[in-house]
Amino acid sequence: MRTALLLSLLILSFGGVAGRALAVDCPNLDVDKVKRAIGELSEFYGDVPSCLDCQRQKKPIERLICQNSGLRLMEVLDTKAAVYAYENATKRETVHSRPDCSFVHKELPNNCVDAVCVCANLKEHTNDSRGGESPYYGETR
């Protein structure tokens, strides 16, 4: 119950601003689909935290994601999707409170310097993690 409440607050906090922020950074993105995808994963992965602590941003790319509500919402979905992919591939449950955050902390900073790049990389990583079941499947970058 507590996890569902926290997720609802998270989704609500990304409300109307997310659509406007993503319109520039992520063309053709349907924010409502992202929220639904998070909701679908939340039954089993609602306890998986974001990989970013926006109170302690260390790298410029982390600050960029934390300051853009749309990218932040995408990162939340991507983190849950990555845990989902790992558990389905290995058939072993992980410690949800400690997800593998190497994609956000290492790969994104090495590959991206702007929001458009972050958006494209999050889309691709989430598509891979969800096997084409993400809200971005079939979108062009």
Side-chain angles (χ1 to χ4, degrees):
M1 176 70 175
R2 182 171 175 237
T3 301
L5 177 62
L6 290 174
L7 177 67
S8 297
L9 291 172
L10 177 66
I11 289 173
L12 286 174
S13 70
F14 288 119
V17 176
R20 290 190 298 277
L22 288 172
V24 173
D25 301 329
C26 301
N28 305 317
L29 185 68
D30 187 333
V31 174
D32 290 332
K33 284 185 179 180
V34 175
K35 291 176 184 178
R36 280 193 299 274
I38 290 171
E40 291 166 5
L41 283 172
S42 290
E43 181 178 351
F44 299 104
Y45 300 96
D47 59 339
V48 175
S50 167
C51 279
L52 294 179
D53 177 353
C54 287
Q55 302 302 313
R56 297 181 183 153
Q57 308 143 19
K58 295 179 182 165
K59 299 177 181 173
I61 205 75
E62 293 174 3
R63 280 189 292 281
L64 177 71
I65 294 169
C66 287
Q67 292 169 357
N68 182 309
S69 60
L71 293 177
R72 189 83 172 98
L73 187 62
M74 292 174 71
E75 184 276 327
V76 168
L77 173 60
D78 186 64
T79 301
K80 291 179 187 316
V83 173
Y84 163 84
Y86 178 82
E87 288 186 356
N88 280 295
T90 63
K91 305 296 183 219
R92 293 183 349 193
E93 190 171 337
T94 65
V95 178
H96 286 188
S97 61
R98 292 191 322 246
D100 175 5
C101 294
S102 59
F103 179 73
V104 171
H105 293 300
K106 294 177 185 169
E107 290 181 49
L108 278 178
N110 289 337
N111 295 331
C112 293
V113 294
D114 63 29
V116 173
C117 179
V118 171
C119 176
N121 275 264
L122 284 171
K123 282 181 179 182
E124 184 175 342
H125 194 253
T126 304
N127 279 342
D128 290 347
S129 295
R130 302 251 354 244
E133 296 288 325
S134 84
Y136 320 118
Y137 184 70
E139 275 190 26
T140 57
R141 289 193 248 164

